Amino acid sequence: MRKIVINTSYGDQGGGGFCLSHRAFLRLRDLGQREALQEPDLGAYWPQWATPREPSLNRCGELVPRDDEKLVQVVEELGEEANGHCAELKVVEIPNEVHWMIDKVGGVEHVSEVHRTWS
């Protein structure tokens, strides 16, 4: 089975959707996750403000592939503490052979199987 991280929260009027907490972002960097290492660490400039209540510093990791093993590990390790600003992250499992995509409605995501379409 393949594990994929999705967001299950609508968020707020200022945003929402998939994002990681600063703590989860730092853990990904510790694990050497490529996209997390390439993303600037804004919390490094304001470490005293990089708390879960600071929205601007808890919108990390948007470019990390959702099926990245290190991302799944961090979300499973940290649980709710991995949630970025207005996010509620969840790990879902799908069969390995499924060609998948993430659909989003108002910030809430689900994994769908990709089907062929013509027009």
Side-chain angles (χ1 to χ4, degrees):
M1 296 294 277
R2 173 180 291 176
K3 293 183 176 184
I4 302 168
V5 178
I6 61 169
N7 175 54
T8 62
S9 171
Y10 284 106
D12 65 5
Q13 290 181 347
F18 175 83
C19 59
L20 298 169
S21 68
H22 187 253
R23 180 175 177 199
F25 172 69
L26 292 179
R27 179 69 177 122
L28 276 178
R29 290 171 68 102
D30 287 344
L31 292 171
Q33 202 288 327
R34 185 177 47 147
E35 286 81 5
L37 289 171
Q38 293 173 349
E39 182 177 330
D41 178 9
L42 300 179
Y45 302 107
W46 301 287
Q48 69 275 16
W49 298 107
T51 64
R53 294 184 184 196
E54 175 51 49
S56 65
L57 299 178
N58 286 282
R59 294 180 191 245
C60 307
E62 293 180 9
L63 299 178
V64 176
R66 302 299 193 82
D67 61 343
D68 183 90
E69 290 179 10
K70 292 173 183 170
L71 173 63
V72 171
Q73 175 185 338
V74 167
V75 171
E76 290 179 337
E77 277 179 12
L78 298 180
E80 290 183 3
E81 293 181 22
N83 295 339
H85 180 67
C86 292
E88 289 180 28
L89 304 179
K90 177 181 179 182
V91 176
V92 296
E93 290 187 53
I94 64 169
N96 287 329
E97 66 276 1
V98 170
H99 185 57
W100 60 276
M101 61 187 239
I102 295 177
D103 288 319
K104 179 170 36 173
V105 177
V108 175
E109 299 174 334
H110 64 270
V111 178
S112 298
E113 186 170 1
V114 174
H115 298 284
R116 297 186 303 174
T117 58
W118 294 266
S119 54

